[in-house]
Amino acid sequence: MSYPVISSGSDNLCNRSSYSSMAAQSVGETEGRDFPSDLPYLSGFNNHFSSEAIPGALPQSQNSPLICPFGLYAEQISGTSFTSPRKANLCSWLYRIKPSVTHEPFRQRLPKNEKLISEFNASNCSSTPTQLRWKPADFPDSPVDFVDGLHTVCGAGSSFLRHGFAIHMYTANKSMENCAFCNADGDFLIVPQTGRLWITTECGRLEVSPGEIVVLPQGFRFVVYLPDGPSRGYVAEIFGCHFQLPDLGPIGANGLAAPRDFLAPVAWFENSPRPGYTVIQKFGGELFTATQDFSPFNVVAWHGNYVPYKYDLCKFCPYNTVLFDHSDPSINTVLTAPTDKPGVALLDFVIFPPRWLVAEHTFRPPYYHRNCMSEFMGLIYGGYEAKADGFVPGGASLHSCMTPHGPDTKTYEATIARGNDAGPHKISGTMAFMFESSLIPRVCSWALESPFMDHDYYQCWIGLKSHFKNEAIGDTDPQKVRIKSENGRQIG
């Protein structure tokens, strides 16, 4: 059995705000108010865990005895095919009061959430190489929970074909009531930006604050409560694979995200009648509902390696250059979803945390570049080193495959003005992130038409001027100087 650890929260390495003292005023359901301030967790990434809310509830020596302890039902949830290699095989056994199959037939949920999709083609979205940026979305005026607050921004591929990704954002101001959500399409990686999330899953409960992330694997049922009221954040969804820790290569055995800092829930269950309880299932990008008379969170014990988990981004141990030049952002990868091609990711989750900049005679902000990968960026809190203005917490940007991007004019001019004598500088009080994919995303029409679209984004680079100098000639005015190469010598 894995022994639980108590989450102590952030050690404040990132100087982020504390949410622990805020009152849980918006939680309507009784079980939502029951979240303790010191939830226990199981520590480790991709471990095989065992957890039981009642001692003796886990069967010993086998997974599916004729009669389980306490009369529980044995139910397996598989995250990979049965014949996947052992090192990649993911599954868990859940021992529950009633099995999840006990519900009425699924029916299409009406009204539809037209802004939630998982099939990306020319019929429902567009492709554009233009740099895009969005301002933070407003919180809704009417009551909206996490499910109805989800809207897709962009993505590529297909959940039906089991290859691709979707990037969503959410704004909500209401806890889910008498319902649970299940995503049959893929894994959710949720990045809260405003407001804590209290998440109950079939494996137990998780408290996730801004500055933390949570991964809810495909197929798990969960409910989201909003203890701080209005909440906003980002969601990356991947089809057909799961997140894993990146290889460290020459870095060695330590650094970046440590496996022990990933926390899984301990078993917790409820056993009370819930007439009319609704399970909302996302299937092929559409929402379906089925009703049952009990809570899906009736798992008394479980064991396995397919489990929801959370991670505190302040625990990330960044690596960086210590002499010259700016390192590639891949050194800041927290989690990766690989493809069959070595070194090429379906989706990387990369962060830009507090860290020291010490490179000598170097342009320290991110360099100007065009990337074969597509980059969707968000900002959780603070500022971003490459954008002095316009990119604010809760906002987002998209730079697609081979679209040029880099620091804005103000950042560039301020950086070169410091010269080579700039001493060590610490970036603090910030947490930006990036979803980076080898696929080319299509952008949803409502995202392109959004009132939060920053149509002036391109202007942040328009002010970049030529600093070209040719000391041999002494004049850089293109109307006065014509330079050509002839037999290896310059002629003006």
Side-chain angles (χ1 to χ4, degrees):
M1 174 179 291
S2 299
Y3 292 93
V5 296
I6 303 297
S7 173
S8 59
S10 169
D11 52 13
N12 211 32
L13 291 174
C14 302
N15 295 321
R16 70 165 181 242
S17 299
S18 172
Y19 290 81
S20 60
S21 62
M22 299 181 73
Q25 297 177 345
S26 67
V27 180
E29 295 295 306
T30 301
E31 65 270 25
R33 297 193 196 100
D34 288 341
F35 266 64
S37 59
D38 56 349
L39 274 175
Y41 295 99
L42 304 170
S43 171
F45 187 87
N46 210 26
N47 288 5
H48 190 109
F49 297 111
S50 296
S51 184
E52 50 188 10
I54 299 176
L58 276 174
Q60 300 299 311
S61 304
Q62 65 177 118
N63 294 320
S64 186
L66 179 62
I67 300 177
C68 294
F70 302 103
L72 298 171
Y73 287 86
E75 180 177 295
Q76 182 178 239
I77 181 168
S78 300
T80 55
S81 64
F82 296 140
T83 53
S84 292
R86 179 181 287 268
K87 67 179 180 179
N89 208 298
L90 298 172
C91 68
S92 287
W93 281 89
L94 313 180
Y95 300 93
R96 55 197 322 149
I97 297 169
K98 291 183 71 173
S100 60
V101 71
T102 312
H103 60 76
E104 296 180 2
F106 280 102
R107 294 178 173 82
Q108 195 168 66
R109 185 176 188 247
L110 296 174
K112 293 183 178 182
N113 184 343
E114 301 287 355
K115 294 185 177 182
L116 193 63
I117 64 172
S118 65
E119 291 286 301
F120 296 91
N121 52 59
S123 69
N124 57 16
C125 42
S126 304
S127 58
T128 175
T130 299
Q131 304 93 339
L132 302 176
R133 186 162 72 183
W134 294 268
K135 301 171 185 177
D138 293 336
F139 295 110
D141 295 327
S142 57
V144 175
D145 66 14
F146 175 82
V147 177
D148 289 320
L150 273 176
H151 59 279
T152 310
V153 177
C154 62
S158 164
S159 64
F160 287 100
L161 299 179
R162 312 308 304 135
H163 181 66
F165 73 94
I167 294 174
H168 317 281
M169 298 186 73
Y170 70 89
T171 52
N173 56 11
K174 172 181 175 289
S175 296
M176 295 172 61
E177 295 181 358
N178 211 42
C179 66
F181 187 63
C182 176
N183 183 11
D185 291 336
D187 290 9
F188 271 170
L189 189 161
I190 303 176
V191 186
Q193 188 273 318
T194 298
R196 289 174 299 165
L197 306 179
W198 284 352
I199 302 176
T200 298
T201 75
E202 292 171 276
C203 289
R205 299 173 295 177
L206 299 152
E207 180 180 45
V208 188
S209 299
E212 297 180 316
I213 61 168
V214 62
V215 174
L216 301 168
Q218 176 190 10
F220 276 97
R221 295 174 178 181
F222 64 91
V223 61
V224 177
Y225 305 103
L226 308 180
D228 304 324
S231 182
R232 180 173 57 203
Y234 314 83
V235 181
E237 182 182 10
I238 53 174
F239 313 135
C241 64
H242 301 287
F243 288 104
Q244 62 188 46
L245 292 176
D247 292 330
L248 294 179
I251 292 177
N254 305 289
L256 308 189
R260 70 173 182 171
D261 291 327
F262 289 82
L263 302 178
V266 301
W268 177 89
F269 72 98
E270 54 187 11
N271 181 27
S272 58
R274 299 295 294 273
Y277 196 96
T278 302
V279 175
I280 305 169
Q281 183 124 326
K282 187 167 86 71
F283 185 87
E286 297 187 68
L287 299 182
F288 298 82
T289 62
T291 58
Q292 58 190 51
D293 60 2
F294 63 98
S295 167
F297 311 114
N298 64 351
V299 178
V300 181
W302 61 269
H303 76 89
N305 62 353
Y306 192 52
V307 59
Y309 57 88
K310 75 167 191 170
Y311 175 73
D312 186 342
L313 300 179
C314 289
K315 303 290 187 182
F316 189 81
C317 179
Y319 275 59
N320 214 331
T321 181
V322 293
L323 190 58
F324 63 89
D325 280 352
H326 183 97
S327 299
D328 296 326
S330 51
I331 60 169
N332 291 324
T333 303
V334 180
L335 291 169
T336 183
T339 63
D340 293 335
K341 189 174 182 180
V344 178
L346 172 66
L347 192 103
D348 281 335
F349 174 60
V350 179
I351 65 172
F352 302 94
R355 63 203 183 279
W356 281 95
L357 301 182
V358 299
E360 301 172 2
H361 47 81
T362 292
F363 185 78
R364 291 176 177 173
Y367 45 79
Y368 295 98
H369 66 295
R370 289 172 291 169
N371 194 351
C372 63
M373 307 283 276
S374 296
E375 304 174 6
F376 179 96
M377 284 201 65
L379 184 59
I380 304 172
Y381 52 81
Y384 178 55
E385 60 184 306
K387 297 291 187 295
D389 299 311
F391 189 53
V392 297
S397 66
L398 176 64
H399 304 136
S400 290
C401 170
M402 291 304 173
T403 293
H405 55 284
D408 59 18
T409 302
K410 186 174 180 179
T411 299
Y412 182 85
E413 294 295 338
T415 300
I416 63 173
R418 298 188 188 103
N420 283 324
D421 296 329
H425 170 68
K426 185 176 183 180
I427 297 177
S428 59
T430 180
M431 186 65 73
F433 73 89
M434 178 168 65
F435 299 139
E436 185 177 55
S437 177
S438 60
L439 305 185
I440 298 176
R442 292 181 180 270
V443 185
C444 296
S445 57
W446 46 86
L448 292 173
E449 298 164 2
S450 168
F452 305 107
M453 171 70 77
D454 184 355
H455 295 286
D456 296 328
Y457 183 30
Y458 72 97
Q459 293 188 7
C460 78
W461 295 292
I462 294 298
L464 289 168
K465 60 184 180 181
S466 172
H467 291 271
F468 176 70
K469 295 179 181 179
N470 189 312
E471 296 178 357
I473 299 174
D475 199 335
T476 60
D477 188 339
Q479 299 299 322
K480 299 179 181 179
V481 178
R482 179 175 58 88
I483 300 176
K484 65 181 180 179
S485 175
E486 182 177 285
N487 297 327
R489 66 189 180 92
Q490 292 181 327
I491 299 175

